[in-house]
């Protein structure tokens, strides 16, 4: 009897070890799966950050290149260095990541609480596919594309398909995304008009030498403008990665902090995007909206930087292309309203208005298709 009990005990001990090993294997596989999901979303966010550097990066140097204040390759190099350094300083050293938190908060915490990592991955995969597909279409139009509204539209559309109407924080979407589509251009135009009128008044009695000062000032302005654009754009991708870490990596939204290498990677690829492309957009923004002189270029840059920096620090993900173009329009209205190319402006505004709902629809459709196949 004792031998039988010993044998049974041995079998039970062996069985418990097998169960324990199986549980460990399952946990290891689950962790590997979560890591794989997170890496895929990170790579897609990197790809989108590169596109933002390619597209919106050119906006930082458009006016100074168009007015021949700085040679294109010098302007690109200055902007590239700033675009790499500024997000690291602002987002990592100073810890300012409010735009990334805004992007992450567009989906209610309760909506994805307890969901499987696979579901979170499908939601984020759909978001990034929608943003990348619509962005590629916009590249071929050679028009400034609202990269912010493309990404956020895909995010909200995929969120609707994944979590339903109640899964979206519509207050945040309404105030910080949809309202800003219409409000940002108005603000930038007004700021551009006021600044241009002020500079015209201030320079009315100055000699022609003032133009040399404004030409030199554009080097500083390119630095300031590149900073404002890069810290807003990089944080959009950081917001997507934040959602990936929460939904697929098991992190807590409020307590998660971005590490140096994530921010440095995003900063590097946005710089790379600027260095490798975007010259068509320089021509569109710098010349086809309004043909500016040196002083008008400085005013447009200051107007853009002031609005973009303000939005970045209060957590509003704006389209920097929209900010730049609207500031140029404001300067043109103040200088000579008939000189503004209104047909071009009309096309740009229509593109901005349509970007969010189209990206939203694309995100929802892609998400529904992927969910139908894999869930």
């Amino acid at each position: 009897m004792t031998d039988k009990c010993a044998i049974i005990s041995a079998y039970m001990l062996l069985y418990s070890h097998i169960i324990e090993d199986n549980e460990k294997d399952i946990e290891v596989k689950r962790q590997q799966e979560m890591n794989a999901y997170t890496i895929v979303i990170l790579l897609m966010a990197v790809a989108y950050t590169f596109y933002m550097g390619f597209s919106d990066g050119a906006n930082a140097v458009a006016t100074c290149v168009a007015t021949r204040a700085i040679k294109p390759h010098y302007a690109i190099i200055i902007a590239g260095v700033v675009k790499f350094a500024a997000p690291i300083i602002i987002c990592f050293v100073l810890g300012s990541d409010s735009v990334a938190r805004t992007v992450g908060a567009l989906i209610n915490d309760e909506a994805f609480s307890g969901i499987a990592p696979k579901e979170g991955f499908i939601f984020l995969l759909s978001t990034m596919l929608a943003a990348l597909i619509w962005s590629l279409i916009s590249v071929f139009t050679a028009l400034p594309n609202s990269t912010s509204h493309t990404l956020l539209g895909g995010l909200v559309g995929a969120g609707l398909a994944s979590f339903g109407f109640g899964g979206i924080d519509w207050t945040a979407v309404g105030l910080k995304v949809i309202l800003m589509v219409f409000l940002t251009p108005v603000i930038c135009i007004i700021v551009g008009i006021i600044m241009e009128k002020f500079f015209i008044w201030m320079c009315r009695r100055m000699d022609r030498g003032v133009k040399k000062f404004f030409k030199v000032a554009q080097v500083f302005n390119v630095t300031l403008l590149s900073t404002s654009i890069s810290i807003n754009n990089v944080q959009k991708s950081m917001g997507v990665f934040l959602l990936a870490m929460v939904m697929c990596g098991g992190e807590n939204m409020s307590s998660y902090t971005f590490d140096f290498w994530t921010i440095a990677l995003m900063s590097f690829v946005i710089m790379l995007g600027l260095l490798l492309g975007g010259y068509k957009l320089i021509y569109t923004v710098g010349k086809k909206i309004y043909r500016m002189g040196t002083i008008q270029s400085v005013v447009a840059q200051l107007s853009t930087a002031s609005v973009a920096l303000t939005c970045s620090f209060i957590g509003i993900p704006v389209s920097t292309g929209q900010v730049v173009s609207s500031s140029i329009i404001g300067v043109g209205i103040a200088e000579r309203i008939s000189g503004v190319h209104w047909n071009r402006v009309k096309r740009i505004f229509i593109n901005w208005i349509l970007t969010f709902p189209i990206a939203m629809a694309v995100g929802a459709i892609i998400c529904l298709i992927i969910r139908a196949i894999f869930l």
Side-chain angles (χ1 to χ4, degrees):
M1 185 69 180
T2 304
D3 292 339
K4 289 183 178 180
C5 290
I7 292 171
I8 292 173
S9 298
Y11 274 117
M12 290 180 65
L13 182 61
L14 178 62
Y15 180 74
S16 66
H17 281 304
I18 292 172
I19 295 296
E20 186 177 334
D21 289 340
N22 286 338
E23 289 177 349
K24 287 181 180 179
D25 290 341
I26 292 171
E27 181 60 30
V28 169
K29 289 180 180 178
R30 181 175 180 275
Q31 190 60 50
Q32 290 175 342
E33 183 182 63
M34 292 166 65
N35 291 338
Y37 290 154
T38 304
I39 291 171
V40 170
I41 299 303
L42 174 62
L43 292 176
M44 297 188 77
V46 165
Y48 194 72
T49 307
F50 174 85
Y51 165 72
M52 287 192 287
F54 179 91
S55 176
D56 282 357
N59 292 322
V61 299
T63 56
C64 70
V65 171
T67 58
R68 299 181 180 179
I70 308 176
K71 292 182 179 180
H73 57 280
Y74 288 139
I76 293 291
I77 291 172
I78 293 170
V81 172
V82 173
K83 281 179 176 294
F84 176 72
I88 294 174
I89 295 171
I90 301 296
C91 300
F92 180 74
V93 178
L94 300 182
S96 178
D97 56 6
S98 56
V99 173
R101 301 288 172 182
T102 295
V103 174
L106 293 180
I107 307 298
N108 288 322
D109 290 351
E110 298 81 6
F112 56 81
S113 178
I115 67 166
K118 185 176 181 179
E119 288 186 74
F121 171 70
I122 289 174
F123 156 65
L124 291 169
L125 178 66
S126 304
T127 296
M128 297 313 302
L129 285 175
L132 289 167
I133 289 171
W134 183 244
S135 295
L136 286 174
I137 294 172
S138 298
V139 166
F140 291 106
T141 66
L143 285 174
N145 179 44
S146 175
T147 55
S148 172
H149 303 134
T150 300
L151 180 62
L152 299 181
L155 181 75
V156 172
L160 276 173
S162 297
F163 312 116
F165 189 85
I168 309 297
D169 186 343
W170 290 108
T171 301
V173 172
L175 294 178
K176 294 186 177 182
V177 181
I178 297 175
L179 177 62
M180 296 309 294
V181 173
F182 302 96
L183 189 58
T184 299
V186 174
I187 293 173
C188 291
I189 289 172
I190 292 173
V191 172
I193 291 173
I194 293 172
M195 282 193 174
E196 177 65 14
K197 292 291 186 183
F198 172 75
F199 272 80
I200 290 174
W201 174 81
M202 188 177 67
C203 300
R204 70 190 188 283
R205 293 182 180 177
M206 295 182 180
D207 58 26
R208 293 182 179 179
V210 73
K211 288 188 176 181
K212 293 182 179 179
F213 167 77
F214 281 112
K215 190 173 182 179
V216 174
Q218 290 196 69
V219 177
F220 168 78
N221 279 355
V222 166
T223 301
L224 183 64
L225 189 53
S226 297
T227 297
S228 64
I229 289 176
S230 61
I231 62 175
N232 200 284
N233 282 346
V234 164
Q235 287 190 68
K236 295 165 192 171
S237 297
M238 287 168 55
V240 173
F241 182 68
L242 172 62
L243 285 172
M245 292 301 295
V246 173
M247 294 185 182
C248 305
E251 297 286 347
N252 183 272
M253 176 77 77
S254 58
S255 62
Y256 180 78
T257 56
F258 294 98
D259 61 76
F260 170 81
W261 294 110
T262 300
I263 299 173
L265 176 61
M266 298 296 183
S267 302
F268 174 77
V269 294
I270 202 170
M271 175 189 69
L272 192 63
L274 169 63
L275 295 177
L276 296 180
Y279 284 94
K280 287 184 178 180
L281 293 170
I282 289 177
Y283 180 68
T284 298
V285 174
K287 293 184 177 180
K288 288 194 174 182
I289 296 175
Y290 181 78
R291 189 170 292 276
M292 296 176 296
T294 303
I295 296 176
Q296 290 76 33
S297 175
V298 170
V299 174
Q301 291 164 354
L302 288 174
S303 174
T304 300
S306 61
V307 174
L309 279 173
T310 301
C311 290
S312 295
F313 284 110
I314 63 177
I316 297 177
V318 294
S319 167
T320 48
Q322 188 181 52
V323 177
V324 172
S325 299
S326 300
S327 297
I328 293 173
I329 293 168
V331 170
I333 291 173
E335 183 77 17
R336 185 166 58 88
I337 192 169
S338 61
V340 179
H341 300 158
W342 291 107
N343 288 333
R344 174 68 58 173
V345 170
K346 181 180 178 181
R347 288 181 61 190
I348 292 173
F349 268 83
I350 290 173
N351 187 52
W352 289 337
I353 293 170
L354 293 179
T355 294
F356 183 81
I358 291 176
M360 184 174 165
V362 173
I365 292 170
I366 291 175
C367 190
L368 288 172
I369 292 172
I370 296 177
R371 286 178 65 88
I373 296 173
F374 295 103
L375 290 182

